Amino acid sequence: MENNQCKKTTYSSKEFADLDISRFANSSRDKKPTYSYRCKKCLGWHITSRDNYQTKLRKVEKELFEVKLLLESKDKELLKRIHEVKNLKTEIELLKKKR
Ligand SMILES: [Zn+2]
């Protein structure tokens, strides 16, 4: 997929990314890439060193937690609505009986 957002090398599959990691393993670079991950922006695969990976992992975990909180608040809202509808139903039943 074409994408200008990612300046990193993009691989079309995990296999290709991992292949490059094994190539870097024999190089003399300081920060050797050790992890491959799926990129949310370009949907391709990138490789990164362990430190970068941990940072990304924490970021994703934080996002996941925020989504969880959002869903829980929506759940509460929904339960409140259901409760309101139930109350209305009861009221209607009472009104019917009074007639
Ligand atoms: Zn990307």
Side-chain angles (χ1 to χ4, degrees):
M1 191 184 282
E2 283 294 320
N3 197 300
N4 298 325
Q5 278 178 301
C6 290
K7 286 176 184 122
K8 300 191 82 176
T9 311
T10 308
Y11 304 88
S12 56
S13 74
K14 192 182 193 309
E15 283 71 28
F16 286 131
D18 288 341
L19 203 68
D20 230 16
I21 287 173
S22 53
R23 277 197 326 150
F24 275 114
N26 299 319
S27 83
S28 54
R29 272 169 55 140
D30 277 348
K31 268 196 165 185
K32 288 174 194 169
T34 45
Y35 283 91
S36 57
Y37 64 91
R38 187 89 196 240
C39 176
K40 273 202 293 185
K41 282 187 209 158
C42 68
L43 300 177
W45 290 80
H46 301 308
I47 55 177
T48 188
S49 68
R50 189 172 203 279
D51 290 348
N52 286 339
Y53 181 79
Q54 294 294 344
T55 310
K56 272 191 187 301
L57 195 64
R58 267 196 294 274
K59 202 180 148 219
V60 169
E61 276 171 350
K62 195 173 156 258
E63 278 173 14
L64 203 64
F65 184 69
E66 278 163 9
V67 168
K68 191 176 163 254
L69 286 183
L70 183 75
L71 283 178
E72 276 174 1
S73 74
K74 294 255 184 236
D75 261 3
K76 271 180 202 154
E77 218 174 280
L78 201 61
L79 283 174
K80 207 180 127 200
R81 291 276 163 81
I82 290 171
H83 193 70
E84 281 169 6
V85 170
K86 273 184 185 166
N87 279 346
L88 274 177
K89 268 188 177 174
T90 315
E91 257 179 64
I92 290 169
E93 289 303 315
L94 282 173
L95 282 173
K96 274 183 186 170
K97 275 178 193 169
K98 273 183 187 170
R99 266 207 236 158

